[in-house]
């Protein structure tokens, strides 16, 4: 999977909005989950306080990150685990590949994890001759379909049931137990086919790789929340467990976890509680455990006073599900494993804004604020978007235009003259402007407003405020 | 009561009728309306497009122009939200880099911003009226633009005002809280998604059977109205101020 050299967001999105199947799938899925979330959040009278608590706990942890990270390392080591520090994706991949090699195995099972997607671990393992098998149902669909995830929680959200059935029938056999020939697109039948396919894998594979939703510094415990139970299989059955976790996933204590066990399920799947919560501390008997703590740009994000709030993110995907831009552009348009509003603020911070795609991400939003309203840790995404826009490289023509507009607005006389000029030229404004440029982008789908003969300020002066 | 009108650059240049309606309405309610002619733009377009230098300059200009006013009325939800949310942020400079100019701006912001009111806030909260004596015998639907809804938290103020208008048949807009896809320069930087969002908004508007789409922001109305016009839906757009300014006498 590589996003390298992808066109900028507007071009990706322009292609996506024409894809009727994608539009249908996304609309249906996001609206369903959006409504579920809204109803379970409305049940809690203290939601606003929970949200504030979540925000405060994360901020406190981020401010004291070094202390808690060291505490975490000490606790994990004391419990028989091994802790590795990875400054970037390459180092993390090298560590994990080395650890798998040491086991002598060439197959690993994976628990759904964003951090390993972010560093491109599956590809790095493949290069070393190691096959990673995704075990989350949606990740499996993505992997079998040789596709990219398009959503944080439901990576195959862009697929319909019929498409999933076709992928299973066509591809499952290449990866293990084939799908039954009579497979229907009934969700239960699809889940059953996946279950049988995966079950054999769990029983035969000796190495598992996971991420974590939270790490608890006081005891060195890792926490994974999931719906299917496949994660739990991976976490318990194999002999070696390797967890790759972003350093911002820390919580100081178990008491803090209580807040997030309420915030996360309600925000992400719209459930009061998620079906499976697994916790483990160090290595259990007969098992080997490695924790890879991943920076990969996070300390740089932490240094930005406005942007650092993105590190509070608990990857619930509520912001994706309410985002009108995400709903129409789809996750792939964002060219990152982090799509939607959180991707628009996280990707440019983690990767920088030197590629046209990354520089276009802070603009992939109308600043409508729906994301901020639902975010369980109160990340003011519009604020960060505006902040990043201030640092993004601007196209030359736009920069000149904006500078000129600024010059006009600097003095009321200049503005008045510009308005009079527009008023005189109003008959010459075309109904549809030839492209490219902002005027043609506007008039392709919208009429322009009629330019008035007289501006408000000229009317005010001429009539002395309407009194003459 | 003396009120200064900040008409906004969009209304000044493209929708002067909204400015005139605001003046008519406020006078009818007993206000003494002034128009400080040194005003230009709040800086929203620059700031939100990533030009904080120009945006900041315009913000300083705004606070200079309106420094001595008791109350400033803005017939635009997004400009009022810009002033209230972002000026405060612009003024927040870390102590290490603070200068006399930045301290002076911060003081101006602290003094001026609380006196800036979006039109419906001013009518309902400051003047304490919901019945402004308007008459408008048409079927109307109201779109509560994002910055009014989630920025200013105007709540039901505009709807309460519209409900009191004689003859007006107010019909609810389905999925009203969804963004129309304007987003300032988003409309031209991401025209495909913008148009896709607008298509849904326009469909929801026509589904109401309303003849008029009303909002408290002409920039969003320019966008939705542009699509409604292009599609020949026959639905027209009107700023809240224009409906509230209508009376039986002037018809
Ligand atoms: S930014 Fe907030 S709403 Fe979006 S995924 Fe992260 S925690 Fe959830």
């Amino acid at each position: 999977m590589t996003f390298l050299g992808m066109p900028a967001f507007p071009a990706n999105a322009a292609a996506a909005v024409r894809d009727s199947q994608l539009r249908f799938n996304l609309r249906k899925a996001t609206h369903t989950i959006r409504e579920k979330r809204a109803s379970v959040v409305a049940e809690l009278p203290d939601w606003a306080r929970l949200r504030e608590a979540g925000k405060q706990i994360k901020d406190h942890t981020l401010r004291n990150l070094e202390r808690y990270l060291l505490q975490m390392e000490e606790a994990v080591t004391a419990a028989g685990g091994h802790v590795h520090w990875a400054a970037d994706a390459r180092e993390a991949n090298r560590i994990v590949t080395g650890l798998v090699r040491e086991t002598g195995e060439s197959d690993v099972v994976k628990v759904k994890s964003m951090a390993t997607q972010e560093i491109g671990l599956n590809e790095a393992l493949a290069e070393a001759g190691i096959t990673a098998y995704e075990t989350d149902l949606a990740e499996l669909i993505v992997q079998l379909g040789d596709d990219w995830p398009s959503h944080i929680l439901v990576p195959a959200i862009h697929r319909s049931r019929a498409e999933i059935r076709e992928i299973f029938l066509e591809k499952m056999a290449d990866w293990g137990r084939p799908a039954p020939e009579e497979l229907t697109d009934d969700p239960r039948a699809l889940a059953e086919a996946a279950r049988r396919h995966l079950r054999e894998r769990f029983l035969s594979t000796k190495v598992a790789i996971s991420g974590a939703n939270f790490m608890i510094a006081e005891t060195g415990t890792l926490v994974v929340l999931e719906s299917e139970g496949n994660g739990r299989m991976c976490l318990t059955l194999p002999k070696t467990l390797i967890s790759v976790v972003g350093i911002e996933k820390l919580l100081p204590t178990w008491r803090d976890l209580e807040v997030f066990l309420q915030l996360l399920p309600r925000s992400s799947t719209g459930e009061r509680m998620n079906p499976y919560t697994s916790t483990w501390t160090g290595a259990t008997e007969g098992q080997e455990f490695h924790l890879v703590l991943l920076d990969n740009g996070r300390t740089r994000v932490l240094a930005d006073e406005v942007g650092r709030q993105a590190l509070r993110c608990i990857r619930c995907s509520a912001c994706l599900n309410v985002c009108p831009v995400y709903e129409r552009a789809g996750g792939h348009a964002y060219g990152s494993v982090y799509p939607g509003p959180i991707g628009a603020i996280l990707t440019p911070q983690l990767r920088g804004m030197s590629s046209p795609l990354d520089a276009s991400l802070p603009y992939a939003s109308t600043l409508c604020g729906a994301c901020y309203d639902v975010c369980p840790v109160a990340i003011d995404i519009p604020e960060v978007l505006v902040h990043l826009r201030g640092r993004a490289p601007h196209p030359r023509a736009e920069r000149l235009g904006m500078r000129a507009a600024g010059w006009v607005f600097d003095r009321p006389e200049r503005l008045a003259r510009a308005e009079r000029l527009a008023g005189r030229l109003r008959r010459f404004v075309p109904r549809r402007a030839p492209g490219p440029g902002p005027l043609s982008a506007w008039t392709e789908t919208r009429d322009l407003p009629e330019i008035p003969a007289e501006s408000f300020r000229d009317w005010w002066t001429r009539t002395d405020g309407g009194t003459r | 009561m003396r009120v200064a009108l900040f008409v906004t650059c969009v209304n000044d240049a493209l929708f002067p009728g909204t400015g005139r309606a605001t003046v008519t309405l406020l006078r009818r309610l007993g206000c003494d309306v002034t128009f400080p002619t040194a005003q230009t733009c709040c800086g929203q377009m620059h700031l939100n497009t990533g030009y904080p230098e120009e945006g900041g300059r315009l913000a300083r200009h705004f606070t200079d122009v309106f420094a001595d006013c008791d109350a400033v009325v803005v017939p635009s939800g997004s400009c009022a939200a810009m002033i209230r949310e972002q000026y405060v942020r612009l003024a927040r400079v870390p102590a290490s880099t603070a200068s006399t100019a930045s301290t002076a701006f911060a003081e101006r912001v602290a003094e001026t911003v609380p006196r800036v009111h979006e039109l419906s806030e001013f009518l309902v909260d400051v003047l304490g009226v919901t019945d402004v004596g308007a008459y408008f015998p048409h079927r109307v639907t109201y779109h509560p633009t994002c910055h009014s809804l989630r920025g200013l938290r105007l709540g039901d103020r505009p709807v309460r005002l519209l409900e009191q208008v004689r003859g007006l048949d107010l019909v609810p807009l389905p999925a009203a809280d969804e963004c129309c896809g304007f987003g300032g320069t988003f409309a031209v930087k991401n025209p495909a998604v913008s148009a896709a969002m607008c298509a849904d908004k326009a469909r929801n508007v026509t589904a109401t059977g309303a003849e008029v789409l009303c909002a408290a922001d002409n920039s969003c109305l320019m966008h939705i109205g542009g699509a409604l016009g292009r599609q020949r839906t026959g639905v027209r757009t009107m700023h809240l101020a224009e409906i509230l300014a209508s009376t039986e006498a002037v018809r």
Side-chain angles (χ1 to χ4, degrees):
Chain A
M1 181 174 70
T2 175
F3 298 112
L4 231 65
M6 234 175 122
F9 182 85
N12 299 335
V17 297
R18 289 174 194 278
D19 184 338
S20 54
Q21 170 91 69
L22 178 74
R23 294 283 299 276
F24 178 87
N25 295 352
L26 277 172
R27 183 179 171 81
K28 190 155 175 272
T30 55
H31 281 254
T32 308
I33 193 160
R34 191 185 292 185
E35 273 151 37
K36 268 178 83 182
R37 178 214 158 263
S39 74
V40 296
V41 163
E43 281 174 4
L44 292 187
D46 61 345
W47 183 258
R49 283 165 60 198
L50 270 173
R51 184 175 184 242
E52 180 60 24
K55 172 186 171 192
Q56 302 260 353
I57 292 167
K58 280 283 182 183
D59 277 349
H60 165 85
T61 314
L62 290 168
R63 266 199 305 277
N64 300 282
L65 196 57
E66 189 180 322
R67 168 152 65 94
Y68 289 122
L69 278 170
L70 293 173
Q71 191 184 1
M72 179 77 196
E73 178 183 38
E74 203 177 306
V76 170
T77 312
H82 305 276
V83 178
H84 311 260
W85 299 81
D88 55 22
R90 190 178 311 167
E91 191 174 6
N93 287 333
R94 201 183 60 224
I95 293 169
V96 177
T97 311
L99 289 170
V100 177
R101 276 216 177 112
E102 273 171 36
T103 65
E105 296 292 323
S106 57
D107 287 348
V108 301
V109 281
K110 279 190 69 201
V111 185
K112 177 174 162 23
S113 131
M114 293 308 298
T116 58
Q117 298 266 17
E118 176 189 323
I119 60 175
L121 180 64
N122 290 8
E123 292 72 20
L125 289 172
E127 266 174 45
I130 300 160
T131 313
Y133 295 91
E134 294 291 350
T135 63
D136 172 84
L137 175 57
E139 289 288 2
L140 176 71
I141 297 164
V142 169
Q143 187 172 43
L144 294 178
D146 198 15
D147 196 0
W148 293 348
S150 71
H151 188 275
I152 294 176
L153 182 77
V154 201
I157 197 168
H158 56 288
R159 296 292 198 188
S160 70
R161 284 187 312 184
E163 290 174 289
I164 294 167
R165 173 180 165 272
E166 288 161 26
I167 293 169
F168 278 11
L169 282 173
E170 204 178 306
K171 296 288 181 57
M172 246 182 193
D174 300 349
W175 290 77
R177 188 193 173 103
E181 266 169 51
E182 69 286 4
L183 182 67
T184 66
D185 67 2
D186 174 46
R188 249 170 322 182
L190 294 172
E192 184 58 23
R195 217 163 70 96
R196 284 178 186 278
H197 176 81
L198 291 169
R199 187 63 56 128
E200 289 183 5
R201 190 67 60 201
F202 292 133
L203 295 171
S204 61
T205 311
K206 303 207 167 50
V207 182
I209 297 176
S210 84
N213 293 98
F214 305 101
M215 300 189 283
I216 302 170
E218 67 175 343
T219 53
T221 305
L222 278 83
V223 184
V224 162
L225 278 68
E226 47 146 352
S227 301
E228 298 164 0
N230 293 345
R232 176 162 295 179
M233 298 262 209
C234 297
L235 297 167
T236 48
L237 292 174
K239 260 188 69 61
T240 304
L241 173 61
I242 304 166
S243 301
V244 182
V245 188
I247 52 174
E248 83 284 15
K249 295 280 158 225
L250 270 175
L251 296 177
T253 67
W254 280 83
R255 277 192 61 172
D256 301 318
L257 180 66
E258 181 252 16
V259 172
F260 292 94
L261 289 184
Q262 296 182 69
L263 288 174
L264 183 51
R266 286 181 197 256
S267 300
S268 63
T269 49
E271 293 167 307
R272 297 188 183 95
M273 203 181 158
N274 51 295
Y276 293 89
T277 302
S278 302
T279 67
W280 69 99
T281 308
T284 47
E285 230 180 87
Q287 218 191 25
E288 201 173 315
F289 172 62
H290 295 273
L291 170 62
V292 181
L293 292 169
L294 177 73
D295 183 333
N296 205 30
R298 285 162 175 75
T299 46
R300 206 175 43 235
V301 181
L302 196 56
D304 184 323
E305 276 181 43
V306 179
R308 68 169 62 135
Q309 52 186 308
L311 294 179
R312 292 204 293 260
C313 176
I314 55 173
R315 312 278 189 265
C316 72
S317 58
C319 57
L320 279 62
N321 299 329
V322 296
C323 178
V325 177
Y326 174 85
E327 182 192 328
R328 290 162 183 89
H332 294 159
Y334 295 80
S336 155
V337 298
Y338 301 114
I342 180 62
I345 61 168
L346 199 53
T347 307
Q349 294 198 83
L350 290 175
R351 294 204 298 225
M353 289 189 276
S354 53
S355 79
L357 171 65
D358 294 341
S360 71
L361 289 176
Y363 293 93
S365 165
T366 61
L367 308 178
C368 84
C371 48
Y372 175 40
D373 266 16
V374 297
C375 178
V377 285
I379 300 173
D380 192 339
I381 294 175
E383 180 190 10
V384 182
L385 287 167
V386 169
H387 171 71
L388 293 173
R389 289 176 185 188
R391 308 183 162 195
H394 298 134
R396 208 180 109 84
E398 181 194 287
R399 208 170 56 231
L400 292 176
M402 283 293 187
R403 204 172 287 160
W407 183 83
V408 170
F409 287 143
D410 276 341
R411 299 266 186 284
E413 322 76 78
R414 292 178 194 155
L415 178 57
R417 271 204 299 279
E419 286 167 345
R420 265 170 237 144
L421 182 67
R424 267 202 299 280
L425 297 176
R426 64 203 203 107
R427 306 242 171 269
F428 303 103
V429 176
R431 288 187 64 78
R432 290 182 78 147
L439 204 57
S440 77
W442 180 276
T443 57
E444 201 200 345
T445 55
R446 293 153 287 210
D447 287 345
L448 282 167
E450 224 173 284
I451 296 174
E454 185 180 48
S455 69
F456 177 82
R457 69 179 61 237
D458 277 354
W459 168 81
W460 181 277
T461 315
R462 180 174 59 78
T463 63
D464 198 12
T467 56
R468 268 204 306 258
Chain B
M1 182 168 190
R2 232 177 126 76
V3 294
L5 172 66
F6 174 54
V7 75
T8 80
C9 65
V10 167
N11 288 330
D12 181 17
L14 296 173
F15 303 98
T18 296
R20 291 198 298 270
T22 308
V23 174
T24 307
L25 174 65
L26 291 173
R27 283 206 183 122
R28 195 168 77 220
L29 296 171
C31 297
D32 176 10
V33 185
T34 63
F35 177 74
T37 50
Q39 64 180 273
T40 59
C41 164
C42 68
Q44 180 175 199
M45 177 180 75
H46 283 98
L47 210 72
N48 281 352
T49 311
Y51 295 82
E53 198 192 305
E54 286 86 351
R57 215 160 63 210
L58 294 170
R60 278 193 296 280
H61 181 71
F62 177 94
T63 50
D64 287 345
V65 171
F66 290 97
D68 300 322
C69 301
D70 303 331
V72 183
V73 172
V74 189
S76 160
S78 69
C79 301
M82 159 82 195
I83 294 161
R84 195 166 301 160
E85 291 174 0
Q86 308 224 47
Y87 281 19
V88 177
R89 254 179 234 152
L90 279 174
R92 221 184 285 137
V93 174
S96 54
T97 54
S99 62
T100 40
S102 71
T103 318
F105 175 61
E107 279 168 15
R108 277 275 157 89
V109 166
E111 281 165 22
T112 317
V113 170
R115 292 196 294 245
V116 177
H117 313 274
E118 183 276 335
L119 177 64
S120 70
E121 285 177 331
F122 183 75
L123 297 176
V124 176
D125 302 347
V126 180
L127 296 185
V129 290
T130 47
D131 185 349
V132 297
Y135 169 75
F136 191 73
H138 300 281
R139 180 183 273 206
V140 176
T141 193
Y142 177 75
H143 169 53
T145 69
C146 303
H147 290 168
S148 302
L149 191 69
R150 286 175 285 265
L152 295 175
R153 309 267 169 204
L154 289 187
D156 63 355
R157 287 180 187 84
V159 168
R160 275 157 64 200
L161 289 159
L162 287 170
E163 277 168 354
Q164 298 296 323
V165 174
R166 268 166 287 289
L168 191 146
D169 174 16
L170 186 65
V171 284
L173 177 66
D177 59 351
E178 270 185 40
C179 178
C180 70
F182 172 63
T185 47
F186 178 85
V188 291
K189 277 170 142 336
N190 275 289
V193 181
S194 176
M197 289 166 69
C198 197
D200 289 338
K201 184 59 76 183
R203 187 169 38 75
N204 283 323
V205 170
T206 49
T208 64
E211 53 183 301
V212 177
L213 170 67
C214 173
D217 220 314
N218 272 331
S219 44
C220 309
L221 283 180
M222 173 170 79
H223 166 72
I224 312 170
L228 290 170
R230 175 63 59 86
Q231 295 164 24
R232 308 290 186 269
T233 57
V235 180
R236 78 185 143 128
T237 54
M238 273 177 92
H239 191 281
L240 179 68
E242 292 172 38
I243 291 181
L244 297 182
S246 306
T247 56
E248 203 153 0
V250 299
R251 289 178 66 83

